[in-house]
Amino acid sequence: MKTLLLLSALLIFVHNSSLAQTQTDIPYGSDPLQKLDYWSAASPAAPIIIIAHGGGWFTGDKSGAPYQNASQLFNNEGYAVVNINYRLTPTVTYPSHIEDITCALAWTKNNASLMNGDSSRIVIYGHSAGGQIAAYLGVRPINSMLAGCSNTAGLNVDGVILTSATVDFDMTNPADWSPIINMLGDTSLYWDVAQPTNHCANNFSTKFLILCGDLDNLWIDQDSAFHDSLIYYNHCSRLHMFTGYDHSTMITNLTATNAVFLAMTSFLDSLWNNQLCIPTGMEEPLISSFTVYPNPSSGYFTVNIPLIRQAKAELKIVDLLGKEVSFQTIKDNYRETFCVNLNLPCGIYFLQLKSDDFIQNIKLEVIK
């Protein structure tokens, strides 16, 4: 009987503790629309994830199932999580959306102890339009965005994770795309300054993970352009494209074991262990393995290369007679995934990936 009572008391304690871990609709600014939810970490001094929802700047909500699910997934991994609402158009226009996430970042740094969080270890995760806001803050962390919010020293963030982010407005033809006009007004005055791609030359230490699906047409081009610009200006960025994912499923299909979430947690582990973009002479090997899928293939396939650092590698495809049918140089790039579309006859081919410290061959079968 005593054992049963102790067990019941323990269950009540655990239940009450789990309830206490989540707080909803906490104000982080002076406007009633500036609200956030937070999940406390199980252990003190945990890293913090801030989540910014998508919705084209005029719709979306932190209470949506994908963002509640993402919050719980990160919390289950030991993170303190802050899930925010920002003001939407037409109530506000640029730069109010970015002011809001800056204000939420300041609130998070000031109140990290409430959620067992470490104010010096913060990553922002944004999807779609939320990704634009997160990326902007990552490349341009400025105190002038703290409109009506309490300030704190050092608004920098360690990392930014983007899924299907809107980061290069020029590719959408802003004059013809109503969400951008709603956000920026029917003028080009803000078009250049509001897109994160145009701020990659700034001095910042934020590390980026950029994720998109191969079915997400427009956003593949945007995210690739942003990644390439970050690399051009010697910033730390990784780009990963996932086969069979579109704009929506990059966030709605998140589970603890799916490839997108595993890419996020792998990036975060490397970030906290200081294994990202290590200076030359201190790095791990460039590559430890690579994969090809689908295999067998119709001629369209994806090569996934888990690059650890910037370096040069070569990807070569040969037929059974050893004749080269494709060759690509991979240089100074953290682009982890390459989509290949070759009109190859049916048969067996070999993909060879080679760098200074690595070589691997994979057999590929092409069927029609």
Side-chain angles (χ1 to χ4, degrees), residues 191-278:
W191 290 350
D192 288 337
V193 72
Q195 51 185 323
T197 301
N198 288 347
H199 299 288
C200 292
N202 291 348
N203 182 23
F204 54 87
S205 59
T206 312
K207 295 176 172 60
F208 284 83
L209 175 65
I210 303 170
L211 309 175
C212 55
D214 68 336
L215 304 180
D216 200 7
N217 299 327
L218 171 64
W219 277 262
I220 289 178
D221 294 335
Q222 290 201 37
D223 293 344
S224 297
F226 181 49
H227 165 79
D228 291 343
S229 185
L230 287 167
I231 293 298
Y232 178 82
Y233 288 105
N234 297 313
H235 297 299
C236 184
S237 175
R238 287 186 170 182
L239 173 70
H240 197 149
M241 282 179 275
F242 296 88
T243 300
Y245 283 79
D246 59 23
H247 192 78
S248 174
T249 54
M250 287 297 296
I251 178 72
T252 59
N253 283 10
L254 282 186
T255 67
T257 58
N258 89 323
V260 177
F261 188 70
L262 291 177
M264 294 181 187
T265 54
S266 176
F267 170 83
L268 291 168
D269 289 344
S270 296
L271 176 63
W272 308 131
N273 291 320
N274 296 314
Q275 293 175 340
L276 293 173
C277 308
I278 303 171

Coordinates of all heavy atoms in Angstrom, one line a residue, residues 191-278:
W191 N 12.1 46.9 -51.0 CA 12.3 45.5 -51.5 C 13.8 45.1 -51.4 O 14.0 43.9 -51.0 CB 12.0 45.5 -53.0 CG 10.5 45.7 -53.3 CD1 9.5 45.6 -52.3 CD2 9.8 45.9 -54.5 NE1 8.3 45.8 -52.9 CE2 8.4 45.9 -54.2 CE3 10.3 46.0 -55.8 CZ2 7.5 46.1 -55.2 CZ3 9.3 46.2 -56.8 CH2 7.9 46.3 -56.5
D192 N 14.7 46.0 -51.6 CA 16.1 45.6 -51.5 C 16.6 45.4 -50.0 O 17.2 44.4 -49.7 CB 17.0 46.6 -52.2 CG 16.9 46.6 -53.7 OD1 16.6 45.5 -54.2 OD2 17.3 47.6 -54.3
V193 N 16.1 46.3 -49.2 CA 16.6 46.2 -47.8 C 16.0 45.1 -47.0 O 16.5 44.6 -46.0 CB 16.4 47.6 -47.1 CG1 14.9 47.8 -46.8 CG2 17.2 47.7 -45.8
A194 N 14.8 44.7 -47.4 CA 14.0 43.7 -46.6 C 14.4 42.3 -46.9 O 14.1 41.4 -46.1 CB 12.5 43.8 -46.8
Q195 N 15.2 42.0 -48.0 CA 15.5 40.6 -48.3 C 16.9 40.2 -47.7 O 17.9 40.9 -47.9 CB 15.5 40.3 -49.8 CG 16.2 41.3 -50.6 CD 16.0 41.0 -52.1 OE1 15.8 39.8 -52.5 NE2 15.9 42.0 -52.9
P196 N 16.9 39.2 -46.9 CA 18.2 38.8 -46.2 C 19.4 38.6 -47.1 O 20.5 38.9 -46.8 CB 17.8 37.5 -45.5 CG 16.3 37.6 -45.3 CD 15.8 38.3 -46.5
T197 N 19.1 38.1 -48.4 CA 20.2 37.8 -49.3 C 21.1 39.1 -49.5 O 22.3 39.0 -49.8 CB 19.7 37.3 -50.7 OG1 18.9 36.1 -50.4 CG2 20.8 37.0 -51.6
N198 N 20.5 40.3 -49.4 CA 21.2 41.5 -49.7 C 22.1 41.9 -48.5 O 22.8 43.0 -48.6 CB 20.3 42.6 -50.1 CG 19.7 42.4 -51.5 OD1 20.2 41.6 -52.2 ND2 18.7 43.2 -51.8
H199 N 22.1 41.2 -47.4 CA 22.8 41.6 -46.2 C 23.9 40.6 -45.9 O 24.5 40.7 -44.8 CB 21.9 41.8 -45.0 CG 20.9 42.9 -45.3 ND1 21.2 44.2 -45.3 CD2 19.5 42.8 -45.5 CE1 20.1 44.9 -45.5 NE2 19.1 44.1 -45.7
C200 N 24.3 39.7 -46.8 CA 25.3 38.7 -46.5 C 26.7 39.3 -46.3 O 27.6 38.6 -45.7 CB 25.3 37.6 -47.5 SG 23.7 36.6 -47.5
A201 N 26.9 40.5 -46.8 CA 28.2 41.1 -46.7 C 28.5 41.7 -45.3 O 29.6 42.1 -45.0 CB 28.4 42.2 -47.8
N202 N 27.4 41.7 -44.5 CA 27.6 42.2 -43.1 C 28.5 41.4 -42.3 O 28.8 40.2 -42.6 CB 26.2 42.3 -42.4 CG 25.3 43.4 -43.0 OD1 25.8 44.2 -43.8 ND2 24.0 43.3 -42.7
N203 N 29.0 42.0 -41.2 CA 29.9 41.2 -40.3 C 29.0 40.6 -39.2 O 28.5 41.2 -38.3 CB 30.9 42.2 -39.7 CG 31.9 41.5 -38.7 OD1 32.1 40.3 -38.9 ND2 32.4 42.3 -37.8
F204 N 28.9 39.3 -39.2 CA 28.2 38.5 -38.2 C 28.8 37.1 -38.1 O 29.4 36.6 -39.0 CB 26.7 38.4 -38.6 CG 26.4 37.9 -39.9 CD1 26.2 36.5 -40.1 CD2 26.2 38.8 -41.0 CE1 25.9 36.0 -41.4 CE2 25.9 38.3 -42.3 CZ 25.8 36.9 -42.5
S205 N 28.5 36.4 -37.0 CA 29.0 35.1 -36.8 C 27.9 34.0 -36.8 O 28.2 32.9 -36.5 CB 29.8 35.1 -35.5 OG 28.9 35.4 -34.4
T206 N 26.7 34.4 -37.1 CA 25.6 33.4 -37.1 C 25.9 32.3 -38.1 O 26.3 32.6 -39.2 CB 24.3 34.1 -37.5 OG1 24.1 35.3 -36.8 CG2 23.1 33.2 -37.3
K207 N 25.6 31.1 -37.7 CA 25.7 29.9 -38.6 C 24.3 29.5 -39.1 O 23.4 29.5 -38.3 CB 26.4 28.8 -37.8 CG 27.9 29.2 -37.5 CD 28.5 28.1 -36.7 CE 30.0 28.4 -36.5 NZ 30.3 29.7 -35.8
F208 N 24.2 29.1 -40.4 CA 22.9 28.9 -41.0 C 22.8 27.5 -41.4 O 23.7 26.9 -42.0 CB 22.8 29.8 -42.2 CG 22.4 31.2 -41.9 CD1 23.5 32.1 -41.5 CD2 21.1 31.7 -41.9 CE1 23.2 33.4 -41.2 CE2 20.8 33.0 -41.6 CZ 21.8 33.9 -41.2
L209 N 21.6 26.9 -41.2 CA 21.2 25.6 -41.8 C 19.9 26.0 -42.7 O 18.9 26.4 -42.1 CB 20.8 24.6 -40.8 CG 20.3 23.3 -41.3 CD1 21.3 22.6 -42.1 CD2 19.8 22.4 -40.2
I210 N 20.0 25.7 -44.0 CA 19.0 26.1 -44.9 C 18.4 24.8 -45.5 O 19.1 24.0 -46.2 CB 19.5 27.0 -46.0 CG1 20.1 28.2 -45.4 CG2 18.4 27.4 -47.0 CD1 20.9 29.1 -46.4
L211 N 17.1 24.5 -45.3 CA 16.5 23.2 -45.7 C 15.3 23.5 -46.6 O 14.5 24.4 -46.4 CB 16.0 22.5 -44.5 CG 17.0 22.3 -43.3 CD1 16.4 21.6 -42.1 CD2 18.2 21.4 -43.8
C212 N 15.2 22.7 -47.7 CA 14.1 22.9 -48.6 C 13.8 21.6 -49.3 O 14.7 20.7 -49.3 CB 14.3 24.0 -49.6 SG 15.8 23.9 -50.6
G213 N 12.6 21.4 -49.9 CA 12.2 20.2 -50.6 C 12.4 20.3 -52.1 O 12.3 21.4 -52.6
D214 N 12.7 19.2 -52.7 CA 12.9 19.3 -54.2 C 11.6 19.5 -55.0 O 11.7 19.8 -56.2 CB 13.6 18.0 -54.7 CG 12.7 16.8 -54.6 OD1 11.8 16.8 -53.7 OD2 12.9 15.8 -55.3
L215 N 10.5 19.5 -54.3 CA 9.2 19.8 -55.0 C 8.8 21.3 -54.7 O 7.7 21.7 -55.1 CB 8.1 18.9 -54.5 CG 8.4 17.4 -54.6 CD1 7.2 16.6 -54.0 CD2 8.6 17.0 -56.1
D216 N 9.6 22.0 -54.1 CA 9.3 23.4 -53.7 C 9.8 24.4 -54.7 O 10.2 25.5 -54.2 CB 9.8 23.6 -52.3 CG 9.2 24.8 -51.6 OD1 8.2 25.3 -52.1 OD2 9.6 25.2 -50.5
N217 N 9.9 24.1 -55.9 CA 10.3 24.9 -57.0 C 10.9 26.3 -56.7 O 12.1 26.4 -56.6 CB 9.1 25.1 -58.0 CG 8.7 23.8 -58.5 OD1 9.5 22.9 -58.7 ND2 7.4 23.7 -58.8
L218 N 10.1 27.3 -56.5 CA 10.6 28.7 -56.3 C 11.6 28.8 -55.1 O 12.6 29.4 -55.2 CB 9.4 29.7 -56.1 CG 9.8 31.1 -55.7 CD1 10.6 31.8 -56.8 CD2 8.6 31.9 -55.4
W219 N 11.2 28.1 -54.0 CA 12.0 28.3 -52.8 C 13.4 27.6 -52.9 O 14.3 28.0 -52.2 CB 11.2 27.8 -51.6 CG 10.3 28.9 -51.1 CD1 10.6 29.8 -50.1 CD2 9.1 29.3 -51.6 NE1 9.5 30.7 -49.9 CE2 8.6 30.4 -50.9 CE3 8.3 28.8 -52.7 CZ2 7.4 31.0 -51.1 CZ3 7.1 29.4 -52.9 CH2 6.6 30.5 -52.2
I220 N 13.5 26.6 -53.8 CA 14.8 26.0 -54.0 C 15.8 27.1 -54.5 O 16.9 27.2 -54.1 CB 14.7 24.8 -55.0 CG1 14.1 23.6 -54.4 CG2 16.1 24.4 -55.5 CD1 13.9 22.5 -55.3
D221 N 15.3 27.8 -55.5 CA 16.2 28.9 -56.1 C 16.5 30.0 -55.1 O 17.6 30.4 -55.0 CB 15.5 29.5 -57.3 CG 15.3 28.5 -58.5 OD1 16.1 27.6 -58.5 OD2 14.4 28.7 -59.3
Q222 N 15.5 30.4 -54.3 CA 15.7 31.4 -53.3 C 16.7 30.9 -52.2 O 17.7 31.6 -51.9 CB 14.4 31.8 -52.6 CG 13.4 32.5 -53.4 CD 12.4 33.3 -52.6 OE1 12.8 33.8 -51.5 NE2 11.2 33.3 -53.0
D223 N 16.5 29.8 -51.7 CA 17.4 29.3 -50.6 C 18.8 29.0 -51.1 O 19.8 29.2 -50.4 CB 16.7 28.0 -50.0 CG 15.4 28.3 -49.3 OD1 15.2 29.5 -49.0 OD2 14.7 27.4 -49.0
S224 N 18.9 28.5 -52.4 CA 20.2 28.2 -52.9 C 21.0 29.6 -53.1 O 22.2 29.6 -52.8 CB 20.1 27.5 -54.3 OG 19.5 26.2 -54.1
A225 N 20.3 30.6 -53.6 CA 20.9 31.9 -53.8 C 21.4 32.5 -52.5 O 22.5 33.1 -52.4 CB 19.9 32.8 -54.5
F226 N 20.6 32.3 -51.4 CA 20.9 32.9 -50.1 C 22.2 32.1 -49.6 O 23.1 32.7 -49.1 CB 19.8 32.7 -49.2 CG 20.0 33.3 -47.8 CD1 20.6 34.5 -47.6 CD2 19.7 32.5 -46.7 CE1 20.8 35.0 -46.3 CE2 19.9 33.0 -45.4 CZ 20.4 34.2 -45.2
H227 N 22.1 30.8 -49.7 CA 23.3 30.0 -49.2 C 24.5 30.4 -50.0 O 25.6 30.6 -49.4 CB 23.0 28.5 -49.5 CG 24.2 27.6 -49.4 ND1 24.7 27.2 -48.2 CD2 24.9 27.0 -50.3 CE1 25.7 26.4 -48.4 NE2 25.9 26.3 -49.7
D228 N 24.5 30.5 -51.3 CA 25.6 30.8 -52.1 C 26.2 32.2 -51.7 O 27.4 32.4 -51.7 CB 25.3 30.7 -53.6 CG 25.0 29.3 -54.1 OD1 25.4 28.4 -53.4 OD2 24.4 29.2 -55.1
S229 N 25.3 33.1 -51.4 CA 25.7 34.4 -51.0 C 26.4 34.4 -49.7 O 27.4 35.1 -49.5 CB 24.5 35.4 -51.0 OG 25.0 36.7 -50.7
L230 N 25.9 33.6 -48.7 CA 26.6 33.5 -47.4 C 28.0 32.9 -47.6 O 28.9 33.4 -47.0 CB 25.7 32.5 -46.5 CG 24.4 33.1 -46.0 CD1 23.6 32.0 -45.4 CD2 24.7 34.2 -44.9
I231 N 28.1 31.9 -48.4 CA 29.4 31.2 -48.7 C 30.3 32.2 -49.3 O 31.5 32.3 -49.0 CB 29.2 30.0 -49.5 CG1 28.5 28.9 -48.7 CG2 30.6 29.4 -50.0 CD1 29.1 28.4 -47.5
Y232 N 29.8 33.0 -50.3 CA 30.7 34.0 -51.0 C 31.3 34.9 -50.0 O 32.5 35.3 -50.2 CB 29.8 34.7 -52.0 CG 30.6 35.7 -52.8 CD1 31.4 35.4 -53.9 CD2 30.5 37.1 -52.5 CE1 32.1 36.3 -54.6 CE2 31.2 38.1 -53.2 CZ 32.0 37.7 -54.2 OH 32.7 38.6 -54.9
Y233 N 30.6 35.3 -49.0 CA 31.1 36.3 -48.0 C 31.7 35.6 -46.8 O 31.9 36.2 -45.8 CB 30.0 37.3 -47.6 CG 29.6 38.3 -48.7 CD1 28.5 38.1 -49.4 CD2 30.5 39.3 -49.0 CE1 28.1 39.0 -50.4 CE2 30.2 40.2 -50.0 CZ 29.0 40.1 -50.7 OH 28.7 41.0 -51.7
N234 N 32.0 34.3 -47.0 CA 32.8 33.6 -46.0 C 32.0 33.4 -44.7 O 32.7 33.3 -43.6 CB 34.2 34.2 -45.7 CG 35.0 34.3 -46.9 OD1 35.2 33.3 -47.6 ND2 35.6 35.4 -47.2
H235 N 30.7 33.2 -44.8 CA 29.9 32.9 -43.6 C 29.7 31.4 -43.6 O 29.9 30.7 -44.6 CB 28.6 33.6 -43.6 CG 28.8 35.1 -43.5 ND1 29.4 35.7 -42.4 CD2 28.5 36.1 -44.4 CE1 29.4 37.0 -42.6 NE2 28.9 37.3 -43.8
C236 N 29.2 30.9 -42.5 CA 29.0 29.5 -42.3 C 27.6 29.1 -42.6 O 26.6 29.6 -42.0 CB 29.3 29.1 -40.8 SG 29.2 27.3 -40.5
S237 N 27.4 28.3 -43.7 CA 26.1 27.9 -44.1 C 26.1 26.5 -44.6 O 27.0 26.1 -45.3 CB 25.6 28.8 -45.2 OG 24.3 28.4 -45.7
R238 N 25.0 25.7 -44.3 CA 24.8 24.4 -44.9 C 23.4 24.4 -45.6 O 22.4 24.9 -45.0 CB 24.8 23.3 -43.9 CG 26.2 23.1 -43.3 CD 26.3 21.9 -42.4 NE 27.6 21.5 -42.1 CZ 28.0 20.5 -41.3 NH1 27.0 19.8 -40.8 NH2 29.3 20.2 -41.1
L239 N 23.4 23.9 -46.8 CA 22.1 23.8 -47.6 C 21.8 22.3 -47.8 O 22.7 21.5 -48.2 CB 22.3 24.5 -48.9 CG 21.1 24.3 -49.9 CD1 19.9 25.0 -49.4 CD2 21.5 24.8 -51.3
H240 N 20.6 21.9 -47.5 CA 20.2 20.5 -47.7 C 18.8 20.4 -48.3 O 17.9 21.0 -47.8 CB 20.2 19.8 -46.4 CG 20.2 18.3 -46.5 ND1 20.8 17.5 -45.5 CD2 19.7 17.4 -47.4 CE1 20.7 16.2 -45.8 NE2 20.0 16.2 -47.0
M241 N 18.7 19.8 -49.5 CA 17.4 19.6 -50.1 C 16.9 18.1 -49.9 O 17.7 17.2 -50.0 CB 17.5 19.9 -51.6 CG 17.5 21.4 -51.9 SD 17.6 21.7 -53.7 CE 19.4 21.7 -53.9
F242 N 15.6 18.0 -49.7 CA 15.1 16.7 -49.4 C 14.1 16.2 -50.5 O 13.3 16.9 -51.0 CB 14.3 16.7 -48.1 CG 15.2 17.0 -46.9 CD1 15.4 18.4 -46.6 CD2 15.8 16.0 -46.2 CE1 16.3 18.6 -45.5 CE2 16.6 16.3 -45.1 CZ 16.8 17.6 -44.8
T243 N 14.3 15.0 -51.0 CA 13.5 14.4 -52.0 C 12.1 14.1 -51.5 O 11.9 13.5 -50.5 CB 14.2 13.1 -52.5 OG1 15.5 13.4 -53.0 CG2 13.3 12.5 -53.7
G244 N 11.1 14.5 -52.3 CA 9.7 14.2 -52.1 C 9.0 15.2 -51.1 O 7.9 15.0 -50.7
Y245 N 9.7 16.3 -50.7 CA 9.1 17.3 -49.8 C 8.7 18.5 -50.6 O 9.4 19.0 -51.5 CB 10.1 17.7 -48.7 CG 10.2 16.7 -47.6 CD1 11.0 15.5 -47.8 CD2 9.5 16.8 -46.4 CE1 11.1 14.6 -46.8 CE2 9.7 15.9 -45.4 CZ 10.5 14.8 -45.6 OH 10.6 13.9 -44.6
D246 N 7.6 19.2 -50.2 CA 7.2 20.4 -50.8 C 7.2 21.5 -49.8 O 7.7 21.3 -48.6 CB 5.8 20.3 -51.5 CG 4.7 19.9 -50.6 OD1 4.9 20.1 -49.3 OD2 3.7 19.4 -51.1
H247 N 6.7 22.7 -50.1 CA 6.7 23.8 -49.2 C 6.1 23.5 -47.8 O 6.6 23.8 -46.8 CB 6.1 25.0 -49.8 CG 6.3 26.3 -49.1 ND1 7.5 27.0 -49.2 CD2 5.5 27.0 -48.3 CE1 7.4 28.1 -48.5 NE2 6.2 28.1 -47.9
S248 N 4.9 22.9 -47.9 CA 4.2 22.6 -46.7 C 4.8 21.5 -45.8 O 4.9 21.6 -44.6 CB 2.7 22.3 -47.0 OG 2.0 21.9 -45.9
T249 N 5.1 20.4 -46.5 CA 5.5 19.2 -45.8 C 6.9 19.3 -45.1 O 7.3 18.5 -44.2 CB 5.6 17.9 -46.7 OG1 6.4 18.2 -47.8 CG2 4.1 17.6 -47.1
M250 N 7.7 20.4 -45.5 CA 8.9 20.6 -44.8 C 8.7 20.9 -43.3 O 9.5 20.7 -42.4 CB 9.7 21.8 -45.4 CG 10.3 21.5 -46.7 SD 11.6 20.2 -46.7 CE 12.8 21.0 -45.6
I251 N 7.5 21.4 -43.0 CA 7.1 21.7 -41.5 C 6.1 20.7 -41.0 O 6.1 20.3 -39.9 CB 6.7 23.2 -41.4 CG1 6.3 23.5 -39.9 CG2 5.6 23.5 -42.3 CD1 7.4 23.5 -39.0
T252 N 5.1 20.4 -41.9 CA 4.0 19.5 -41.4 C 4.4 18.1 -41.2 O 3.7 17.4 -40.4 CB 2.8 19.6 -42.3 OG1 3.2 19.1 -43.6 CG2 2.2 21.0 -42.5
N253 N 5.4 17.6 -41.8 CA 5.8 16.2 -41.7 C 6.9 16.0 -40.6 O 7.4 14.9 -40.5 CB 6.3 15.7 -43.0 CG 5.2 15.3 -44.0 OD1 4.1 15.7 -43.7 ND2 5.5 14.7 -45.1
L254 N 7.2 17.0 -39.8 CA 8.3 16.8 -38.8 C 7.9 15.7 -37.8 O 6.8 15.8 -37.2 CB 8.5 18.1 -38.1 CG 9.3 19.2 -38.8 CD1 9.6 20.4 -37.8 CD2 10.7 18.7 -39.3
T255 N 8.8 14.8 -37.6 CA 8.7 13.8 -36.5 C 10.1 13.7 -35.9 O 11.1 14.2 -36.5 CB 8.2 12.4 -37.0 OG1 9.3 11.9 -37.8 CG2 6.9 12.5 -37.8
A256 N 10.2 13.0 -34.8 CA 11.5 12.8 -34.1 C 12.5 12.1 -35.0 O 13.7 12.2 -34.8 CB 11.3 12.2 -32.8
T257 N 12.0 11.3 -36.0 CA 12.9 10.4 -36.7 C 12.9 10.7 -38.2 O 13.6 10.0 -38.9 CB 12.5 8.9 -36.5 OG1 11.1 8.8 -37.0 CG2 12.6 8.5 -35.1
N258 N 12.2 11.8 -38.7 CA 12.3 12.0 -40.1 C 13.5 12.8 -40.5 O 14.2 13.4 -39.6 CB 11.0 12.7 -40.6 CG 11.0 14.2 -40.6 OD1 11.6 14.8 -39.6 ND2 10.4 14.8 -41.5
A259 N 13.9 12.8 -41.8 CA 15.2 13.3 -42.2 C 15.3 14.8 -41.9 O 16.4 15.2 -41.6 CB 15.3 13.0 -43.7
V260 N 14.3 15.6 -42.1 CA 14.4 17.0 -41.9 C 14.7 17.3 -40.4 O 15.7 18.1 -40.1 CB 13.1 17.7 -42.3 CG1 13.2 19.2 -42.0 CG2 12.8 17.5 -43.7
F261 N 14.0 16.7 -39.5 CA 14.3 17.0 -38.1 C 15.7 16.5 -37.7 O 16.4 17.1 -36.9 CB 13.2 16.4 -37.2 CG 13.3 16.8 -35.7 CD1 13.0 18.1 -35.4 CD2 13.7 15.9 -34.8 CE1 13.1 18.5 -34.0 CE2 13.8 16.3 -33.4 CZ 13.5 17.6 -33.1
L262 N 16.1 15.3 -38.2 CA 17.4 14.8 -37.9 C 18.5 15.7 -38.4 O 19.5 15.8 -37.8 CB 17.5 13.4 -38.5 CG 16.7 12.3 -37.8 CD1 16.9 10.9 -38.5 CD2 17.0 12.1 -36.3
A263 N 18.3 16.3 -39.6 CA 19.2 17.3 -40.1 C 19.3 18.5 -39.1 O 20.4 19.0 -38.9 CB 18.8 17.8 -41.5
M264 N 18.2 18.9 -38.6 CA 18.2 20.0 -37.6 C 19.0 19.7 -36.4 O 19.9 20.4 -35.9 CB 16.8 20.4 -37.2 CG 16.0 21.0 -38.4 SD 14.3 21.4 -37.7 CE 13.5 21.9 -39.2
T265 N 18.7 18.5 -35.8 CA 19.4 18.1 -34.5 C 20.9 17.9 -34.8 O 21.7 18.2 -33.9 CB 18.7 16.9 -33.9 OG1 18.6 15.8 -34.8 CG2 17.3 17.3 -33.4
S266 N 21.2 17.3 -35.9 CA 22.6 17.1 -36.3 C 23.4 18.4 -36.4 O 24.5 18.6 -35.8 CB 22.8 16.3 -37.6 OG 24.1 16.2 -38.0
F267 N 22.8 19.4 -37.0 CA 23.3 20.8 -37.1 C 23.5 21.4 -35.7 O 24.6 21.9 -35.4 CB 22.4 21.6 -38.0 CG 22.8 23.1 -37.9 CD1 23.8 23.6 -38.8 CD2 22.1 24.0 -37.1 CE1 24.1 25.0 -38.8 CE2 22.4 25.3 -37.1 CZ 23.4 25.8 -38.0
L268 N 22.5 21.2 -34.9 CA 22.6 21.8 -33.5 C 23.7 21.1 -32.7 O 24.4 21.8 -32.0 CB 21.2 21.7 -32.9 CG 20.1 22.6 -33.5 CD1 18.7 22.2 -32.9 CD2 20.4 24.0 -33.2
D269 N 23.8 19.8 -32.8 CA 24.8 19.1 -32.1 C 26.2 19.6 -32.5 O 27.1 19.9 -31.6 CB 24.7 17.6 -32.3 CG 23.5 17.0 -31.6 OD1 22.9 17.7 -30.7 OD2 23.1 15.9 -31.9
S270 N 26.4 19.8 -33.8 CA 27.7 20.3 -34.3 C 27.9 21.7 -33.9 O 29.0 22.1 -33.6 CB 27.7 20.2 -35.8 OG 27.6 18.8 -36.3
L271 N 26.8 22.5 -33.8 CA 27.0 23.9 -33.4 C 27.4 24.0 -32.0 O 28.4 24.7 -31.7 CB 25.6 24.6 -33.6 CG 25.5 26.1 -33.1 CD1 26.4 27.0 -33.9 CD2 24.1 26.6 -33.2
W272 N 26.8 23.3 -31.1 CA 27.2 23.4 -29.7 C 28.5 22.7 -29.4 O 29.2 23.1 -28.4 CB 26.1 22.7 -28.8 CG 24.7 23.3 -29.0 CD1 23.6 22.5 -29.2 CD2 24.3 24.6 -29.2 NE1 22.5 23.3 -29.5 CE2 22.9 24.6 -29.4 CE3 25.0 25.9 -29.1 CZ2 22.2 25.8 -29.6 CZ3 24.3 27.0 -29.3 CH2 22.9 27.0 -29.5
N273 N 29.0 21.8 -30.3 CA 30.3 21.2 -30.1 C 31.4 21.9 -30.9 O 32.5 21.3 -31.0 CB 30.2 19.7 -30.5 CG 29.3 18.9 -29.5 OD1 29.4 19.1 -28.3 ND2 28.5 18.0 -30.1
N274 N 31.0 23.0 -31.4 CA 32.0 23.8 -32.2 C 32.7 23.1 -33.3 O 33.9 23.1 -33.5 CB 33.1 24.4 -31.2 CG 32.6 25.3 -30.2 OD1 31.8 26.2 -30.5 ND2 32.9 25.1 -29.0
Q275 N 31.8 22.3 -34.1 CA 32.3 21.5 -35.2 C 31.9 22.1 -36.5 O 32.1 21.4 -37.6 CB 31.8 20.1 -35.0 CG 32.4 19.3 -33.8 CD 31.8 18.0 -33.6 OE1 30.8 17.6 -34.1 NE2 32.6 17.1 -32.9
L276 N 31.3 23.3 -36.6 CA 30.9 23.8 -37.8 C 31.9 24.9 -38.3 O 32.3 25.7 -37.5 CB 29.5 24.5 -37.6 CG 28.3 23.6 -37.3 CD1 27.1 24.5 -37.0 CD2 28.1 22.7 -38.5
C277 N 32.3 24.8 -39.6 CA 33.2 25.8 -40.2 C 34.4 26.0 -39.4 O 34.8 27.2 -39.1 CB 32.4 27.1 -40.4 SG 30.8 26.8 -41.3
I278 N 35.1 25.0 -39.1 CA 36.3 25.1 -38.3 C 37.4 25.6 -39.2 O 37.6 25.1 -40.3 CB 36.7 23.7 -37.7 CG1 35.6 23.2 -36.9 CG2 38.0 23.8 -36.9 CD1 35.7 21.7 -36.4

